[in-house]
């Protein structure tokens, strides 16, 4: 079995005929990704048979969620790994934030894109939102009041 070579970036790199995967870790070491997991000291933290740790963090579900993964060398403190998870989770959540300065009409296409896997629901929502656009389309979202929303729902 050919040893993995050092990757030049953070992406997964495959080496040799057996397609052994190697990833670059913070310290520049390379860990065999196909190494067997022998322990799970914390959620998302996996100790490999090589002694290194694979650390994973994700937000959202499996289909539309995003995740990050890295490895830490043998002997790394658990606190350092969980701190990395916290930092990465916060960064991933910040990426999902949408400022409230947009108009309802501008936000509808982005919302409908989230329904791509459910065409029936998307069709229904598109029809319903056409009525909302007629009333609130050009207004900024933060100017729409609860009372106006209640009136729209009743109609």
């Amino acid at each position: 079995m050919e040893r993995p070579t050092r990757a030049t970036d953070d992406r997964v790199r495959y080496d040799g005929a057996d397609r052994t995967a190697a990833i670059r870790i913070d310290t520049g070491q390379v860990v065999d990704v196909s190494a067997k997991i022998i322990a799970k000291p914390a959620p998302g933290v996996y100790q490999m048979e090589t002694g290194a740790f694979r650390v994973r963090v994700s937000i959202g579900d499996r289909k539309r969620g995003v995740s990050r993964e890295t490895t830490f060398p043998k002997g790394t403190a658990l606190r350092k790994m969980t701190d990395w998870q916290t930092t990465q989770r916060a960064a991933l959540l910040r990426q999902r934030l949408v400022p409230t300065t947009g108009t309802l009409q501008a936000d509808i296409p982005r919302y409908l894109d989230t329904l791509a896997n459910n065409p029936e629901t998307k069709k229904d929502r598109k029809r319903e939102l056409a009525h909302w656009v007629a009333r609130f389309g050009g207004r900024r979202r933060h100017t729409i009041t609860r009372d106006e929303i209640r009136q729209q729902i009743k109609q």
Side-chain angles (χ1 to χ4, degrees), residues 12-136:
V12 173
R13 179 174 170 177
Y14 297 96
D15 297 314
D18 61 353
R19 306 283 292 173
T20 302
I23 59 175
R24 184 171 167 258
I25 59 176
D26 297 339
T27 61
Q29 295 176 325
V30 175
V31 175
D32 185 0
V33 177
S34 61
K36 187 177 179 181
I37 296 171
I38 59 170
K40 184 179 176 185
V45 179
Y46 307 96
Q47 185 174 11
M48 311 308 284
E49 65 185 352
T50 60
F53 295 91
R54 186 180 315 161
V55 183
R56 180 179 172 87
V57 64
S58 61
I59 60 168
D61 60 11
R62 289 184 181 194
K63 288 185 179 181
R64 292 181 299 262
V66 290
S67 64
R68 297 285 183 268
E69 186 174 299
T70 191
T71 54
F72 288 91
K74 182 179 181 178
T76 302
L78 182 60
R79 183 174 185 124
K80 182 176 179 180
M81 293 182 277
T82 55
D83 285 348
W84 179 87
Q85 284 178 314
T86 303
T87 304
Q88 292 301 309
R89 186 175 292 113
L92 292 172
L93 288 170
R94 275 193 304 274
Q95 288 176 357
R96 291 183 138 190
L97 291 178
V98 178
T100 60
T101 59
T103 63
L104 179 65
Q105 190 171 14
D107 293 338
I108 289 174
R110 186 174 45 234
Y111 167 69
L112 291 174
D113 287 344
T114 65
L115 302 174
N117 294 334
N118 198 340
E120 286 297 315
T121 303
K122 185 175 182 176
K123 183 179 171 184
D124 291 340
R125 293 292 187 272
K126 199 173 194 178
R127 182 178 40 78
E128 293 169 3
L129 290 170
H131 298 291
W132 286 75
V133 169
R135 183 167 181 178
F136 304 115

